[in-house]
Amino acid sequence: RTTKICFNEEGMRISRPFRDPVFVSWGHVKNVAARASGEFVLELQNQEMISLHPYMTGVASLVEQMQRLGVKGALLSQATKPR
């Protein structure tokens, strides 16, 4: 099983193996960080971290959406190291 993410103008729905699906509004994303491995890490307001492999289907489109919406760190030049 793999993590699946669907998104729209309000936010994203994340379905992960062995966990209940969750909806995260864009305002709940505190920061987007980029790791040297190419992974993106979404830091949520509740301190939860979600790692996204760059080759997952739709990750590039998700990052573009976050850039359009001005989510902190979504532009690689703004990305910070994950904690």
Side-chain angles (χ1 to χ4, degrees):
R1 298 178 47 99
T2 61
T3 299
K4 295 181 183 177
I5 298 176
C6 300
F7 62 93
N8 59 27
E9 293 299 319
E10 287 85 39
M12 63 190 129
R13 178 182 165 88
I14 304 168
S15 300
R16 295 180 278 185
F18 312 108
R19 296 188 189 183
D20 290 334
V22 296
F23 179 81
V24 178
S25 67
W26 295 121
H28 195 67
V29 179
K30 183 176 177 181
N31 189 47
V32 181
R35 290 188 172 148
S37 64
E39 279 184 313
F40 294 97
V41 179
L42 306 181
E43 181 182 356
L44 306 182
Q45 295 292 344
N46 64 1
Q47 306 306 316
E48 183 177 358
M49 304 285 225
I50 299 171
S51 296
L52 304 173
H53 192 279
Y55 298 115
M56 283 177 56
T57 301
V59 168
S61 298
L62 175 65
V63 172
E64 288 174 9
Q65 174 73 359
M66 289 188 289
Q67 288 172 343
R68 281 192 295 276
L69 295 170
V71 174
K72 181 181 176 190
L75 297 174
L76 291 180
S77 62
Q78 297 174 339
T80 59
K81 291 183 180 180
R83 295 178 190 170

